[in-house]
Amino acid sequence: MYLTNAMKFIPKHPFFSVVLLCLSFTLLSCRSAKKVSFKAPVDTTTKYIKLQLKQTYNLSDVGVYASNDFDGARLNGFEKENDSTAIVVINPENVPINNSPYYAFKTWTNSPKTFYFKFKYPKGFKHRYIPKLKVNDVWSVIDSSYLFKEDSIVTIKLNLDKTPIIVAAQEIQSTTDVKNWYTELARGKESYVRIKSAGESTLGRNLPVLEIYKGDREQKDLIVLITRQHPPEVTGYYAFQSFLETVLDNSQLSDQFLHKYRVVAFPIMNPDGVDLGHWRHNKGGVDMNRDWSIYNQPEIEQTVKFINKTLKKNKSKLILGLDFHSTWYDVFYTNKTKESTSLPNFIENWFLSLEKNIPSYKVNEQSANSNKPTSKGWFLYGHNAVGITYEIGDKTPKDSIKLFGKVSAEQMMNILLNNNY
Ligand SMILES: [Zn+2]
C-alpha cells in the first residue's frame, strides 16, 4: 500500500524503478522465512489453473443427472454416449501433473434405472483410483462386478434412483470435514491442545494448526506433523488422524510425552486444492511439496513462518518431521543422512519396533536425500531434523491404516521418552 502511494511521487525513470524494486525486495526479505537450498530447484511460481464450472448436468432424454456442485467435487463434462451410457470427462487443474486423476460427482435419476459411466481422461493419463460410493452418508468401495476395464478405459455400472450417489476417487474429506474432526478431537483438551491458524490459502481458506504440549512451554523439542499437500491422498490423512488421536489418547504414555515434547500438527496444508477437487496442485497450480526452498506459495510460506516462530519463541529445536501422503503402496521415504541429525538412531529403532508391534508387518523403506525441495529435505537441510514422508497405499484397508497410525505414534513416543535415538 505505502509503496503504491510512494510510487506516485517518484519520477517515471528506469533508475528510480530499480531503486524502488531493491527497496521493496529488502523490506520483503527482512520479513521472509529463511530459505533452504536444494540440488535440483523446481519452479514453483504461480501457474494458471482452469477452474471447473460448477453445475448440474442433465441428460434429459435419459433422465440422468450429475453434479459437481459440492466441495471436493471434480467433473469437467458429462455427455451422453448412448441410452445407457454417459461419458464422465475428468481433467486436471493444469499440466504437467502426475497421474493422480481424481474425480468426484453426484448422480441420480427421477425413476429407477441401471446406467453406465465411462471415464475419460486427457491423453497421457490413466484411471488410477477404484471408485468409492457414498449413499445415505455411508462410504463403500464399488463392487468389482460393477467395474469394467477395456484397454485401460474404465466403465462402472450403477443402479440409480432419486437418492443421489456420490462417486469419488477417494472418500471425500473436505475442509469442513477436517475442521469437524480436529474440533471434536480437541474438545475437553483445551488446556493442552490449542487450535491456531498459520494464515490463509490463496482463496482465503484457513490454514489450521494444532499446537500441543503440557506444562511449561519452553525448551521442549518440536515434532511437526503435516498432511494433505496433495488433495486426493486421503489414506495418508487417515494415518495422520490415527497418529494424532494416539498422541492425544489420555494414556500415561501420551501424558509423559506431552510434558517433555511439543507437537505442531497441520491437518490440511492445501485447503483450496482439496475443496476444488484438484488432482495434486494448489490454487497456484503448483505441487506444494516442491516449494520447501524459497516458499513461493502462501501455504508453504506461512507454515514455515509458523514453525520457525514457534521454535524461536520457545527456544526449542525441531527434531522430527512427518509428512503424511498416499501412493500406490505403503512406503516410508527417508533421508540417507542419519548420523548427523538430532536423532541418529530414531529411524532404525522406530522401524524395528513397528515390525515387532504390528502382526506380520514388514517396513518398506526407500532412502535417499531429497534433491528436490520437499518437506522431507527441508526438515533435514533446514533443521538437521529427521524428515520422513509417511506414505500409505491408495488401497490400504482402513483398519490397517488405523493400526499403523496408532502403533507408529506409540513407538515414536516410546523411543523419544526412553532416549532411544
Ligand atoms: Zn503426496
Side-chain angles (χ1 to χ4, degrees):
M1 179 67 182
Y2 57 90
L3 286 176
T4 325
N5 284 338
M7 224 130 93
K8 290 177 194 159
F9 303 102
I10 293 176
K12 286 186 174 41
H13 184 281
F15 173 75
F16 289 104
S17 308
V18 171
V19 169
L20 194 67
L21 204 74
C22 295
L23 176 69
S24 55
F25 184 75
T26 313
L27 287 170
L28 283 171
S29 55
C30 284
R31 272 186 258 126
S32 64
K34 192 184 128 220
K35 315 276 189 264
V36 174
S37 55
F38 284 79
K39 271 188 196 157
V42 175
D43 172 16
T44 55
T45 53
T46 295
K47 313 284 184 298
Y48 171 77
I49 65 159
K50 192 159 194 244
L51 289 172
Q52 61 185 325
L53 290 175
K54 291 282 188 180
Q55 60 187 296
T56 296
Y57 297 87
N58 176 9
L59 306 183
S60 52
D61 55 336
V62 286
V64 174
Y65 298 84
S67 167
N68 60 6
D69 205 2
F70 57 95
D71 284 344
R74 172 145 298 255
L75 179 66
N76 301 90
F78 191 70
E79 299 152 9
K80 183 181 147 181
E81 184 173 74
N82 56 48
D83 285 349
S84 61
T85 308
I87 308 277
V88 176
V89 180
I90 304 293
N91 296 323
E93 55 274 19
N94 64 343
V95 286
I97 198 161
N98 82 336
N99 190 58
S100 49
Y102 174 85
Y103 54 87
F105 59 93
K106 206 181 267 187
T107 182
W108 68 94
T109 51
N110 287 331
S111 51
K113 188 186 193 76
T114 297
F115 203 70
Y116 292 82
F117 299 78
K118 190 190 271 186
F119 288 89
K120 188 182 169 193
Y121 303 109
K123 207 167 170 247
F125 296 104
K126 273 187 186 167
H127 190 87
R128 167 167 173 181
Y129 299 106
I130 300 170
K132 319 295 181 296
L133 307 178
K134 190 185 191 189
V135 187
N136 293 326
D137 252 14
V138 180
W139 284 103
S140 61
V141 179
I142 197 167
D143 190 286
S144 58
S145 64
Y146 280 62
L147 191 143
F148 313 91
K149 209 170 174 182
E150 209 187 316
D151 298 334
S152 86
I153 308 286
V154 166
T155 302
I156 60 166
K157 180 172 91 170
L158 295 173
N159 298 320
L160 301 174
D161 60 26
K162 277 188 174 153
T163 308
I165 301 177
I166 290 182
V167 181
Q170 289 293 14
E171 294 182 6
I172 294 170
Q173 291 289 341
S174 67
T175 54
T176 307
D177 298 318
V178 174
K179 185 178 181 187
N180 290 342
W181 168 72
Y182 68 72
T183 307
E184 194 51 44
L185 179 66
R187 200 183 302 281
K189 305 184 175 88
E190 288 79 4
S191 64
Y192 59 100
V193 181
R194 299 144 192 94
I195 299 176
K196 296 190 171 179
S197 172
E200 283 183 354
S201 66
T202 300
L203 293 179
R205 288 185 177 86
N206 186 31
L207 297 171
V209 49
L210 280 71
E211 215 185 327
I212 306 158
Y213 62 91
K214 288 182 173 177
D216 185 11
R217 71 175 205 186
E218 289 208 347
Q219 290 174 351
K220 286 180 160 65
D221 285 343
L222 187 75
I223 290 101
V224 174
L225 310 176
I226 66 181
T227 191
R228 298 301 287 286
Q229 293 198 78
H230 299 144
E233 299 183 2
V234 175
T235 58
Y237 168 67
Y238 287 157
F240 172 96
Q241 283 187 313
S242 173
F243 192 98
L244 195 57
E245 283 165 5
T246 308
V247 168
L248 294 173
D249 71 358
N250 288 321
S251 62
Q252 202 190 344
L253 179 64
S254 153
D255 188 62
Q256 285 176 356
F257 178 75
L258 295 176
H259 273 101
K260 192 165 173 198
Y261 294 95
R262 172 191 285 255
V263 176
V264 289
F266 297 85
I268 185 158
M269 289 287 293
N270 182 0
D272 290 343
V274 166
D275 281 358
L276 293 172
H278 280 185
W279 289 21
R280 189 168 176 89
H281 298 160
N282 67 348
K283 174 64 176 67
V286 162
D287 180 343
M288 288 168 51
N289 203 26
R290 301 291 179 270
D291 192 35
W292 292 84
S293 174
I294 55 171
Y295 327 124
N296 281 311
Q297 297 304 311
E299 296 88 349
I300 301 297
E301 191 201 9
Q302 292 168 100
T303 300
V304 167
K305 277 187 177 169
F306 186 93
I307 294 170
N308 289 349
K309 210 170 73 189
T310 302
L311 292 169
K312 207 170 160 191
K313 204 166 71 187
N314 305 298
K315 302 183 190 67
S316 49
K317 193 166 71 182
L318 204 176
I319 53 166
L320 174 64
L322 300 177
D323 184 4
F324 292 76
H325 289 249
S326 309
T327 188
W328 303 90
Y329 43 82
D330 299 338
V331 56
F332 291 100
Y333 293 118
T334 59
N335 290 307
K336 260 230 142 60
T337 303
K338 292 185 170 105
E339 311 72 41
S340 57
T341 64
S342 311
L343 311 172
N345 301 309
F346 175 81
I347 289 178
E348 195 189 336
N349 290 335
W350 196 43
F351 289 166
L352 281 173
S353 63
L354 294 188
E355 292 189 346
K356 214 166 115 188
N357 289 282
I358 302 171
S360 64
Y361 175 70
K362 187 95 189 73
V363 167
N364 177 19
E365 179 189 11
Q366 290 183 26
S367 194
N369 280 356
S370 306
N371 289 331
K372 290 178 181 172
T374 61
S375 67
K376 173 170 87 75
W378 183 83
F379 289 123
L380 176 67
Y381 307 135
H383 293 275
N384 230 14
V386 171
I388 300 173
T389 314
Y390 188 133
E391 299 266 7
I392 295 287
D394 293 336
K395 298 178 193 166
T396 304
K398 261 178 150 176
D399 51 349
S400 305
I401 302 174
K402 213 176 161 86
L403 182 66
F404 296 159
K406 181 176 186 287
V407 175
S408 54
E410 285 168 351
Q411 297 312 316
M412 172 200 72
M413 293 192 283
N414 267 328
I415 291 170
L416 292 180
L417 278 175
N418 295 322
N419 300 333
N420 195 14
Y421 46 75

